[in-house]
Amino acid sequence: MRRLLSIFRRDVKSSVREFLLLYIILAPIVVTIGLRFFIPSVNAISLQFALDKGMEEAAVQEFEKYGRTELLDGRTALENRVNKVDDIIGVLQKEDGGYVVITQGNEKESAKLMAYQILSGMKSQGAERAVTFSDIGAKISSVAVYGASSVILMAILLGGMVIGLNIIEEKEDMTISALSVTPMRRLEFIAGKSIVGFVLPVIEVLAVIWILGLRDVNVGMVLVMTLSSSIIAVIFGFLMGVLSSNQITGIANMKFLLIFVSASYIGAAVLPADKHIFLYWSPLYWSSIGLIRVIANTITWAQIVQYTVWIIALTGLVFLLFKGKIQKGLT
Amino acid sequence: MTGGIEMIKVRDLYHSYNNNEQYAVKNVSFEIAKGEIFGFLGPSGAGKSTTQKILIGLLPLQKGNVTVDGADVRKSSRELFDSIGVSFERPNVYKKLTGVENLKFYSEMFGVPTEDPLKLLKMVGLEDAAHKKAGEYSKGMLQRLVFARSMINNPKIWFLDEPTSGLDPNTTSMIKSIIREKQKQGTTIFLTTHNMHIAEELCDRVAFITNGEISAIDSPRSLKLSFGERLVAVEYIEDGKSKKETLSMVDAGQKQRLNDLITRCKVETMHTQEATLEEIFIKITGKELK
Ligand SMILES: Nc1ncnc2c1ncn2[C@@H]1O[C@H](COP(=O)(O)OP(=O)(O)OP(=O)(O)O)[C@@H](O)[C@H]1O
Ligand SMILES: [Mg+2]
């Protein structure tokens, strides 16, 4: 165990000292920060209300006291507006004078409460009017779902790349032969080298969730999907390491892997459900679909287990196929 | 053989890289006693590194028997490496780590108490560069780093592959005195080199190896006594050019050659000399040492 940690620490130390590796490690975070600007809603400070044009002037004025208002024409227009990525609450006055508060489901509780209080405040002044809530469903904006899930997948794969590049370094400098004449076992080497491929994505995924403010996401589920997907990346990392004699060929080999990644992810994201069966062979498909659904909050633990089993089984197959190559490549 | 405990024993060792009859090492047998410095001498491609790699388990043992510290290398456990140190011919260190970090990391692989990295770096004159990245080291500094690293676990058996090649005379003598010091502490040393002076100065016994085969094993002194005495260095002029040749007074062919030179050419100087180990090597193996 002590040796595994030493190997892990060395890899981290060495990685942050090289521009390429540092870049690989930081890229997902940088992309997430960029993404953050397209999902401004999440932590927006001021309240926003989308109001129906047909609403009483007094009510509109009341809402203007508490936040920014937009006037829109009709329920459909309001729903479309509420559905957009930022935090905005729609309010509609029905023919009978009662109000409907339209929410998307991912707004801050305080915003909903505010709308309710504004309306009840008006109620006490004037006639008794019913307030009903209408949640139009979509829990989280699609920018957040696809943005976050693809960045997470990227962080996972780059973790594998860090492993690969570190192995290439050991091969190029022939430091593996120096380790071969210590009591270190080959399995310890493999396990120690793998740690970074799990730890790095976990840290980055937590950072992504935090930066994007995805508070409704089940962190346990994200971490399980992240760890199981990291198995794929780790195996690919080792393969990249043993098959490439230097950084350049390593990156070239990684590009080849990128085709599988993009095909799997895009397939999972855009293909209609009945076509997904054509992607079942790819462990990266299961990672993609799992991550997308976890972020969108449309997955159960049973499905997580199912996807994880697919990932482990398919990756295991890849591993068995290349086991000899990996073992030979590490001597 | 000096008697005493055998730390390394090699019997009828063969090795072929292509698993055919082309042997890189053939029929090699020797043993090394505890506390002995054993020199493995031969030209490039002779099979020195191949033999060493088999002894330290970097190459599989195909044919023959090898025991290191009493353990058959075929069945030895990883813990055997707690008592072995290896200084590689090619400096294989982490270029992005500093000298200290390299030694520190390496020390963490061992299950026995290890030396203080800074102390070792000081011993080889790298204290000023201890916190510099190894990637910024010169060739000679890298070599000293690898040499220092091989001492980290205080090995009982120490494998040194060309520890002084390319080092300046000062550094070379520093390395030599460390090797002698270690020997005094009882370390058994397997030293691979092309450098006859190092071998002559340090080794208790040397083995001459060419084309994968050992042609002589003895102490430098006995080798000189049996082969060294009757050599003549001749400087002569032939076709207007000054030439130099060293000839044996024992070998019939070379005696004839000396006769020829004296009768045919203008001999400028001629004196007997004690043969260097290098000349003895050439004489025994018929090969140059480069
Ligand atoms: N990996 C290899 N594959 C095939 N042949 C090899 C390999 N390594 C060495 N050889 C061959 O084995 C023979 C012995 O090589 P070895 O490296 O043992 O020589 P050496 O005595 O250490 O030489 P040097 O002084 O140059 O280090 C050479 O003919 C070499 O070409
Ligand atoms: Mg060699």
Side-chain angles (χ1 to χ4, degrees), chain B:
Chain B
M1 186 71 220
T2 47
I5 315 157
E6 278 168 6
M7 292 302 275
I8 292 175
K9 189 169 167 183
V10 176
R11 277 278 157 269
D12 311 322
L13 182 67
Y14 287 80
H15 190 90
S16 163
Y17 282 101
N18 313 313
N19 272 309
N20 55 20
E21 296 291 297
Q22 271 183 6
Y23 291 108
V25 165
K26 45 182 176 271
N27 199 22
V28 162
S29 300
F30 60 89
E31 50 280 309
I32 308 177
K34 182 168 168 31
E36 185 179 26
I37 301 181
F38 185 83
F40 219 49
L41 300 183
S44 193
K48 303 184 296 292
S49 294
T50 304
T51 306
Q52 171 165 328
K53 282 180 185 160
I54 298 168
L55 299 193
I56 59 180
L58 284 182
L59 282 175
L61 176 54
Q62 294 171 345
K63 197 169 158 200
N65 286 301
V66 176
T67 57
V68 174
D69 197 10
D72 186 335
V73 293
R74 266 187 254 255
K75 302 175 215 141
S76 66
S77 76
R78 299 294 311 168
E79 276 63 37
L80 175 66
F81 290 101
D82 272 333
S83 49
I84 288 178
V86 182
S87 179
F88 291 84
E89 185 175 13
R90 196 184 132 175
N92 48 0
V93 298
Y94 297 103
K95 302 275 160 55
K96 284 182 263 163
L97 301 194
T98 65
V100 176
E101 285 169 341
N102 263 292
L103 296 198
K104 182 86 188 35
F105 168 69
Y106 204 66
S107 73
E108 285 162 358
M109 297 297 125
F110 291 93
V112 289
T114 49
E115 290 282 349
D116 171 31
L118 268 175
K119 182 189 135 194
L120 292 180
L121 290 174
K122 209 173 231 164
M123 274 169 79
V124 298
L126 285 177
E127 65 268 38
D128 292 336
H131 297 286
K132 261 212 302 202
K133 280 187 206 162
E136 295 162 17
Y137 281 22
S138 71
K139 239 176 101 186
M141 287 161 85
L142 284 171
Q143 209 168 341
R144 281 182 275 159
L145 182 59
V146 177
F147 180 80
R149 185 181 65 186
S150 70
M151 293 187 277
I152 196 94
N153 56 328
N154 260 314
K156 273 205 302 198
I157 304 174
W158 200 15
F159 292 91
L160 302 174
D161 201 342
E162 294 284 356
T164 58
S165 77
L167 294 181
D168 64 77
N170 273 340
T171 322
T172 300
S173 70
M174 185 196 288
I175 299 284
K176 278 193 293 201
S177 68
I178 294 173
I179 295 175
R180 276 199 206 94
E181 187 53 39
K182 283 277 164 194
Q183 181 188 28
K184 265 188 222 148
Q185 294 165 12
T187 308
T188 306
I189 298 162
F190 181 86
L191 179 94
T192 293
T193 184
H194 321 91
N195 186 324
M196 284 297 163
H197 300 293
I198 300 286
E200 220 171 316
E201 282 177 70
L202 285 176
C203 296
D204 298 309
R205 285 187 310 137
V206 294
F208 288 167
I209 179 166
T210 44
N211 296 330
E213 285 180 285
I214 290 181
S215 43
I217 301 183
D218 213 331
S219 68
R221 192 177 147 69
S222 341
L223 286 169
K224 281 190 182 176
L225 284 178
S226 16
F227 297 94
E229 235 109 281
R230 280 163 260 170
L231 277 178
V232 181
V234 198
E235 270 181 33
Y236 58 94
I237 297 192
E238 189 177 39
D239 305 330
K241 280 186 214 132
S242 168
K243 291 179 179 176
K244 209 172 168 177
E245 219 167 287
T246 307
L247 295 166
S248 162
M249 298 300 287
V250 189
D251 185 279
Q254 298 202 1
K255 258 165 46 184
Q256 187 55 48
R257 168 92 182 138
L258 184 63
N259 257 333
D260 284 356
L261 287 178
I262 293 166
T263 46
R264 219 158 33 79
C265 311
K266 179 165 182 277
V267 173
E268 299 212 297
T269 66
M270 187 165 106
H271 47 84
T272 56
Q273 62 178 56
E274 189 188 37
T276 61
L277 205 54
E278 181 151 12
E279 286 156 344
I280 296 168
F281 185 91
I282 295 166
K283 186 164 171 11
I284 293 179
T285 65
K287 290 221 161 31
E288 296 274 343
L289 251 172
K290 277 284 162 178

Side-chain angles (χ1 to χ4, degrees), chain A residues 114-134:
Chain A
M114 205 61 187
Y116 182 75
Q117 277 171 345
I118 295 167
L119 290 168
S120 10
M122 290 188 333
K123 267 191 320 188
S124 53
Q125 290 163 12
E128 203 58 23
R129 278 158 183 167
V131 177
T132 48
F133 284 88
S134 163

